[in-house]
Amino acid sequence: MSDMLIEKLRKNRDLTDDELRSLIDSCEHDEALRKAADEVRRERYGDAVYLRGLIEFTSYCKNNCLYCGLRASNAKAQRYRLSREEILACCAEGYELGFRTFVLQGGEDPYYTDDIICDIISAIRREYLDCAITLSIGEKPRGSYRRYFEAGANRYLLRHETADPAHYAKLHPDNMSADNRRRCLFDLKEIGYQVGSGFMVGSPYQTTDNLIADLRFLQELQPDMIGIGPYITHRDTPFRDEKSGSVELTLRMLSILRLMFPYALLPSTTALGTIHPSGRELGLKSGANVVMPNLSPTAVREKYSIYDNKICTGEESARCRDCLELRIKAAGYHRTRRCEKITVHSK
Ligand code: 5AD
Ligand code: SF4
Ligand code: FES
């Protein structure tokens, strides 16, 4: 019975809501799901794992998402900003270590005006014509997204977090909306970015119907990348007493995503590695095919504290790269330098 559902999902890349609910709500299909997801991943991508170098360049954020340690109201958060030169130094180190994608991620920090962001992007683009530049800096007006694209950015990560407006409202303050999030994602796509979206698994108040709505939203958006990870409680947020999400449900959702979106890039996230010592390896075995090691300077890593007990905060970039490479091999895959498609937009 369970195998029939999985076969149907694999063949049609879709199921009814009721069928999805029965997969999401039970652990009995997990082994078969994982096996099918790994087969589909190997058909499309072989054993390749893509590496993206993550540069967390600012821990300031003007927003107040209730789940996140970097929220503006968290007076205990340690704040830092990297200069253009520091960011370029991270890229140089990353390039030497074999990375061909740089992900510039940060809170929504008004200090970095569009002019500053464009200046940083152009400087990276001038030096690394063979690299993809990915931005992950939140909700912006369409005109800003266009400027970054024209400066040389090619990808943008913005998780939708939850597709259900009522659930979104429980996780965010009143000045943020699921609607604007959606607008941003469709703007990014129209401008020509390769887009990454995604959601947290096990966030407070999340129901199975919310997860189904997330899958339906992704079917509509058709993103190039889908990033999911367990929600992890941060002690200095209003959700300090909430439970973290589970490794099992996150892996189950990863496998379902692989079957629904065979071509998608699916990262095995740091959050997954944080809630379980082999979380990232299990993620790879459940359908994920991307890992994003940290390239930020060691001195600032601990300060980028979106959730408690984040891993890799004491490591040097080279050590993280080597550690991950060993983990990828041990899980039965190999890392590749190949950047599956870069389109450099030039004015
Ligand atoms: N636990 C897990 N993930 C979190 N994020 C933010 N706060 C948390 C948390 N407490 C995720 C969000 C955001 C991404 C950068 O980090 O999904 O989009
Ligand atoms: Fe800011 Fe992003 Fe954290 Fe929200 S999730 S508070 S936008 S860093
Ligand atoms: Fe960072 Fe293992 S990946 S130390």
Side-chain angles (χ1 to χ4, degrees), residues 53 89-100 102 295 317 321:
C90 292
C91 295
E93 186 177 8
Y95 195 88
E96 281 301 305
L97 291 173
F99 295 99
R100 295 296 177 266
F102 305 122
L295 277 180
S317 300
R321 198 275 317 259

Side-chain angles (χ1 to χ4, degrees), residues 61 63 65 67-68 70-71 107:
C61 187
N63 288 339
C65 306
Y67 44 84
C68 174
L70 298 185
R71 60 202 308 274

